[in-house]
Every structure is written in structure tokens, then in C-alpha cells.
Amino acid sequence: MTQATAPAASPSSPASPAAPQDGRTSRRSLSRRLAARPEIGALIAAIVVYVFFFTVATPFREAGSLANVLYEASVMGIMALPVALLMIGGEFDLSAGVAVTTSALTASILSFQLSVNVWTGVVVALVVALAIGAFNGWLLVRTGLPSFLITLGSFLILQGANLAVTKFYTGNVATDSISDMDGFDQARKVFASEIGIGGVDVKITVFYWLVLAAAATWLLLRTKFGNWIFATGGNQESARAVGVPVTFTKIALFMTVGAGAWLVGMHILFSFNTVQSGEGVGNEFLYIIAAVIGGCLLTGGYGSAVGPVIGAFIFGMVSQGIVYANWNPDWFKAFLGVMLLLAALVNLWVRRQATRR
């Protein structure tokens, strides 16, 4: 019987070369992948801040205190989310803070002056808020001017209009109370009610905030529009060359900021029954700070929706933790400045880790 044998390899035949490893495709360690996440720095900072105030401020440990922290974070976070998406898309909106007040003023003054159901004012306020965002986006793509300049102009226009219109109709810097008008109780339940959980009343804005965060995460990671946002913020011309509707994307992002301003504005109106026309100035920087702390780059094209959620949570912990610790509240802005600088440094390191071969 003959046994078949495999042919011997020729001694002169070269061995197959090993496939070259490319840093872009090689498997990275879990620690490297985590370090490259845009929100990892904010997560570490949030843990440190929470442990710190949990240690130094006894009232901070109570369940009711956590509800207050979440409330402060939600009011900030609802706006920080669309602002972060806009920043990922490569733009800023300096009118976001006063746009919140504009929305609330529109609903309040219209309802009171026309003596109509407050829901009419709510709907008109939504239209106005979306129109402001659409105008900012349209002017940006039509002129090519930096969004910083365009939205700074919108900021000044809205700030002046808020004061002038309110004084014209009320003779004061605040609107008249609408608490006794038709539809107020129903609108209050939608925008400013509380939900009891385990004996603790939690503001409805907390639930809106979390739902919007989940929706924004899904939008960025699972939809074509999310890809358009990253592509537009990364390189606008390259994105346009491969078929990304840059104009639509930018206008839609500005309108998203307008929608967020409307929601927060309605919450403020139906929480306090009246609106101070000078409110909102400076809040736009807080929204941007929350997004930057959460890992969004000022240059665009990089970030997440989870990051600004954590950034807003840090804001809530600090604003309430300083009170619970009986410290001078003037330290709050100083702390935000330190957090912003540290976030910028951490983001730079994270970005280098993400692009490291």
C-alpha cells in the first residue's frame, strides 16, 4: 500500500509575509478604547465632585437633595443637549440663553394681552423659537459669516426686544401673572409638575432631560442625520462633496436649539406664573461649558450626547453642593472656570488618545 505524503515545501520558496498592522484597524485595549471616549473625562470628574460633596456636606446625602441636584441639572441639561449637537456640527449659538426668555415672554404676553387660552401662547412661542433658530441657521449658510457673529447679533436683538416689548405692554420689566387664565393648570402639569418617587418629589424636567438624552444618543449613533452632524462638523466641504446636505443639517441643528429654548422657557413660565424680561443673559455660556466639560470640542466634529448630560449633572452638583456646604456662592463661577480649563486639557488628551496609532 502506498501512503500519500504532502509535498515538501521548497527551501527556496519565501514564507508568506505577515499582514502589516495598521494602527487604525488594530485592536486596542479596553483601557485605550475607554480613554478615547469623549465623555470619560466628565464621568471621572462627576464621580470626584459627587464624592467630595457627599463627604463635606451632610445635607447632600439626602434623597431630597439629590432631587434638587437633578432638577438644577435638568434645566441646564435640556439646553446643553441641543447646544452640544450644534457644537458637534461645528457651530455656536450665543442667543440660546435669551431665546429661553423670549419663548416664555411670547407665551405670557400673547396669552395675557389677547385673553386667550394659554395653550395658544404656548404654540405661538414654539413657532417663534423655531423661527429664531431657522433664521440663525439660514443667515449662517447664506452669508458664510461665523456663527459667533450671527448669534451674537441675535443675542443683542433678543435681549433688547425682550426688555422693550415687556415694558411696552406691562410698564414693568416682568410680565403679568397668568395663573388664573384658561389652560394654565393643564399646561403647568405638562411643563412644571412634580412626580413622587419613593417619597421624594422629582420635577418633570428631569424626565424630559433623560428622555431627550436617550433620543439624542440614538440620533447621533444610529441615524443618518447623526452621521451628517459629525461629517458637517469635521469638514464641511468634504461632507458636501460626498452628498451630505450641509445646509439642511445646520439649519435643523439651530432649530433644535430653538426647540430646547421653548421647552425650558415654558417650564420657567408655568413654574413662576410670570417672567423677568432680563433673565437668561449669560446662560448661553453655561450651556457651552456643560458641553465642553462633557467632551465636545470647540472645533466641531467630535463629542457625544452623554457628555453634556454628565456636564449638566456636575453643574447641578456644584450649584447645590456649595449651598449645602454653607460656602460663599461666589465660588460657584470660580469653580466653573476651573472645570472648564481642566475639561479643555482633558479633551485635548482624549483627542490625542483617539487619534493615536
Side-chain angles (χ1 to χ4, degrees):
M1 180 189 298
T2 306
Q3 183 177 4
T5 58
S10 172
S12 60
S13 60
S16 300
Q21 289 194 359
D22 189 343
R24 295 168 296 181
T25 58
S26 61
R27 178 177 292 274
R28 296 184 298 176
S29 64
L30 177 61
S31 60
R32 286 280 303 280
R33 295 199 301 272
L34 287 176
R37 292 294 306 168
E39 64 275 0
I40 191 64
L43 179 60
I44 295 172
I47 294 173
V48 171
V49 171
Y50 181 83
V51 171
F52 176 75
F53 283 113
F54 188 89
T55 303
V56 303
T58 303
F60 191 81
R61 306 169 191 173
E62 300 174 3
S65 300
L66 179 59
N68 291 334
V69 168
L70 289 175
Y71 170 62
E72 291 290 333
S74 66
V75 176
M76 177 65 56
I78 289 174
M79 280 301 295
L81 277 169
V83 167
L85 295 181
L86 182 63
M87 289 177 62
I88 295 173
E91 306 297 344
F92 294 94
D93 191 346
L94 297 181
S95 67
V98 291
V100 171
T101 306
T102 301
S103 300
L105 289 172
T106 300
S108 178
I109 294 176
L110 181 70
S111 300
F112 188 86
Q113 295 299 323
L114 298 182
S115 299
V116 296
N117 190 294
V118 296
W119 282 105
T120 303
V122 169
V123 173
V124 173
L126 175 59
V127 174
V128 170
L130 293 176
I132 292 171
F135 172 77
N136 286 335
W138 174 81
L139 194 60
L140 174 79
V141 297
R142 289 289 295 178
T143 64
L145 290 172
S147 56
F148 177 88
L149 291 178
I150 290 176
T151 58
L152 178 60
S154 298
F155 162 81
L156 295 173
I157 293 171
L158 293 178
Q159 182 185 12
N162 289 346
L163 290 167
V165 172
T166 304
K167 287 183 178 181
F168 176 80
Y169 282 107
T170 68
N172 203 337
V173 295
T175 61
D176 299 294
S177 175
I178 61 171
S179 59
D180 58 347
M181 297 190 65
D182 292 338
F184 180 86
D185 291 336
Q186 294 82 358
R188 188 184 182 92
K189 290 180 181 178
V190 173
F191 296 108
S193 61
E194 297 178 346
I195 299 175
I197 299 179
V200 177
D201 292 332
V202 180
K203 290 285 189 179
I204 197 171
T205 52
V206 174
F207 300 97
Y208 286 149
W209 174 44
L210 296 178
V211 170
L212 290 174
T217 301
W218 173 80
L219 180 74
L220 278 178
L221 301 181
R222 293 290 184 267
T223 68
K224 184 182 295 185
F225 186 72
N227 293 332
W228 292 348
I229 295 174
F230 282 110
T232 301
N235 190 311
Q236 177 176 310
E237 297 306 322
S238 297
R240 184 176 281 112
V242 296
V244 173
V246 174
T247 297
F248 169 79
T249 302
K250 287 185 179 291
I251 293 177
L253 288 174
F254 275 103
M255 292 180 69
T256 303
V257 175
W262 168 80
L263 180 57
V264 175
M266 295 306 98
H267 169 71
I268 292 173
L269 172 61
F270 293 105
S271 292
F272 303 104
N273 310 332
T274 183
V275 183
Q276 296 288 331
S277 58
E279 292 294 321
V281 177
N283 286 349
E284 59 279 350
F285 296 111
L286 298 180
Y287 307 147
I288 293 173
I289 289 172
V292 172
I293 291 176
C296 295
L297 294 182
L298 297 176
T299 53
Y302 188 77
S304 70
V306 176
V309 171
I310 301 174
F313 184 56
I314 293 175
F315 172 89
M317 286 192 293
V318 174
S319 62
Q320 293 299 303
I322 289 177
V323 174
Y324 293 139
N326 293 320
W327 293 350
N328 187 338
D330 293 337
W331 285 108
F332 173 67
K333 291 294 180 64
F335 185 89
L336 281 184
V338 172
M339 288 296 299
L340 178 61
L341 292 178
L342 290 177
L345 294 175
V346 171
N347 290 347
L348 178 62
W349 178 79
V350 168
R351 185 62 171 169
R352 288 176 176 173
Q353 290 295 314
T355 57
R356 189 175 164 190
R357 292 288 189 266

